[in-house]
Amino acid sequence: MEQNKAFIQVKNLKKYFKVGRKAILKAVDDVTFDIRKGETLGLVGESGCGKTTCGRTILGLYSATDGDVIFDGINVHKLKGKEKKEFTKRAQIIFQDPYASLNPRMTVSDIVSAGMDIHDMYTPRERLERVYELLNLVGLNKEHASRFPHEFSGGQRQRIGIARALALEPEFIVCDEPISALDVSIQAQIVNLLIKLQKELGLTYLFIAHDLSMVRHISDRVGVMYLGNMVELTGSMRLYEKPLHPYTKALLSAIPVPEPNIARNRKRIRLEGEVPSPINPKPGCRFVTRCSYAKKECYEDTPVLKEVEPDHFVACHLY
Ligand code: SF4
């Protein structure tokens, strides 16, 4: 793995949505970070924090309101026509809901090979061989190719979704909460499959989730988002052992830890106060209404993400 090299640079990315006549929902608001070649970057936060919008804007599925996404030297939001189509081969997505994301009228073979057809990549015979190969790669088999999605369990459907994402041999995959809709017993199987595929195929992942324990298991580094902002970003081990941002501390205090010594000393931090709206947010720190450390400055100045320790970035006036 060629880690530590920025493969994807997200620079001051903004994605706003107009809500009604005057209101603006700032789903992603000035977010800057890198994704390194061969790593899994976890992106966590409560629902509505902008993590899914961020992932989709990185892929160009949403146009950016402002800012840039540089993918291996290419500015994603400046691509047009043929170049844009070529980019879709290199960067793919696995969706959250394996029930809604597969067309119930298409066979598994047609679902998995739809992208190959768009890119006119194979003869019909080669296409089928490739489908068999992909099904095998994700733990299914060639008998499954002619069946329809309703004949499969949730975990198997997500395997089909993964095969579809792999069909064009991408280098980067946004895994958009790929396990949230699955039974707990199946979640680990899908995460382990993603880890195996990453090793075999040299993939880079952006793994979006709200389940912090699973993110810890799969990620090299983790970014924490709160209401459209990135509030903390560092190595996975470090984040779980020494979180700095008050919001990260609260999130982590709620997850069970297997080590009894750490568990005994850990105090659950309850988040109190109102969650502000991402529509027309006020200046200052967006976490201010729920933060027990808030000071005057926090109501006036928006903290920027800065490196406070080597490879540990945090956006908070305490640091
Ligand atoms: Fe709390 Fe202020 Fe830090 Fe925001 S900037 S997290 S309000 S201490």
Side-chain angles (χ1 to χ4, degrees), residues 258-274:
E259 299 89 349
N261 289 343
I262 300 178
R264 220 172 292 127
N265 296 325
R266 179 171 276 190
K267 255 217 285 187
R268 174 93 194 253
I269 305 168
R270 292 197 185 278
L271 283 175
E272 283 166 6
E274 237 180 88

Side-chain angles (χ1 to χ4, degrees), residues 32 69 95 124 127 157 167 197 203 250 273:
T32 296
V69 177
F95 293 100
R127 175 182 176 271
R157 287 187 204 204
L197 292 169
L203 296 164

Side-chain angles (χ1 to χ4, degrees), residues 201-272:
L201 307 172
L203 296 164
T204 302
Y205 291 144
L206 178 67
F207 190 89
I208 298 169
H210 60 259
D211 179 337
L212 281 130
S213 19
M214 209 49 99
V215 168
R216 178 188 188 175
H217 181 57
I218 193 171
S219 306
D220 297 291
R221 293 186 304 145
V222 177
V224 181
M225 283 189 75
Y226 186 77
L227 280 183
N229 295 150
M230 181 77 82
V231 297
E232 187 158 3
L233 173 64
T234 190
S236 171
M237 288 280 282
R238 182 160 185 89
L239 187 89
Y240 286 81
E241 279 168 22
K242 199 187 169 200
L244 295 180
H245 196 282
Y247 176 60
T248 316
K249 287 182 184 174
L251 275 186
L252 290 178
S253 77
I255 64 165
V257 266
E259 299 89 349
N261 289 343
I262 300 178
R264 220 172 292 127
N265 296 325
R266 179 171 276 190
K267 255 217 285 187
R268 174 93 194 253
I269 305 168
R270 292 197 185 278
L271 283 175
E272 283 166 6

Side-chain angles (χ1 to χ4, degrees), residues 245-247 285-288 291-295 298 303 315-318:
H245 196 282
Y247 176 60
C285 174
R286 292 198 183 158
F287 190 57
V288 77
C291 182
S292 48
Y293 304 94
K295 43 189 180 172
C298 306
C316 172
H317 291 309
L318 294 177

Side-chain angles (χ1 to χ4, degrees), residues 76-213:
V76 173
H77 290 274
K78 297 234 158 73
L79 294 175
K80 290 200 174 75
K82 210 174 151 203
E83 285 176 334
K84 196 169 182 177
K85 194 173 161 190
E86 277 304 302
F87 171 70
T88 63
K89 277 193 195 166
R90 302 185 68 187
Q92 282 286 322
I93 183 164
I94 298 166
F95 293 100
Q96 174 179 358
D97 188 344
Y99 294 89
S101 66
L102 304 178
N103 186 333
R105 293 197 184 87
M106 286 168 78
T107 62
V108 168
S109 174
D110 288 339
I111 290 169
V112 172
S113 62
M116 302 177 205
D117 294 345
I118 292 168
H119 288 272
D120 207 8
M121 284 171 80
Y122 300 108
T123 64
R125 197 193 173 87
E126 287 168 347
R127 175 182 176 271
L128 195 60
E129 282 305 317
R130 177 78 181 130
V131 169
Y132 291 161
E133 193 186 324
L134 287 162
L135 291 178
N136 191 29
L137 201 58
V138 299
L140 297 170
N141 61 55
K142 59 197 231 180
E143 279 77 54
H144 292 129
S146 54
R147 297 202 199 155
F148 290 88
H150 73 266
E151 297 175 61
F152 295 90
S153 66
Q156 286 174 318
R157 287 187 204 204
Q158 198 53 295
R159 288 174 193 268
I160 298 167
I162 294 170
R164 172 175 60 186
L166 294 174
L168 305 178
E169 298 181 51
E171 296 150 72
F172 171 61
I173 300 181
V174 171
C175 307
D176 184 10
E177 304 217 35
I179 53 169
S180 309
L182 303 176
D183 283 354
V184 176
S185 57
I186 307 296
Q187 289 182 352
Q189 290 177 17
I190 296 297
V191 165
N192 289 336
L193 172 64
L194 289 169
I195 293 172
K196 175 183 99 89
L197 292 169
Q198 180 173 47
K199 281 193 191 131
E200 285 176 15
L201 307 172
L203 296 164
T204 302
Y205 291 144
L206 178 67
F207 190 89
I208 298 169
H210 60 259
D211 179 337
L212 281 130
S213 19

Side-chain angles (χ1 to χ4, degrees), residues 17-38:
F17 297 97
K18 252 184 137 183
V19 187
R21 268 216 204 135
K22 285 193 185 149
I24 305 238
L25 189 153
K26 298 188 173 182
V28 177
D29 199 13
D30 207 356
V31 164
T32 296
F33 61 96
D34 288 344
I35 304 174
R36 299 166 184 168
K37 183 99 178 147

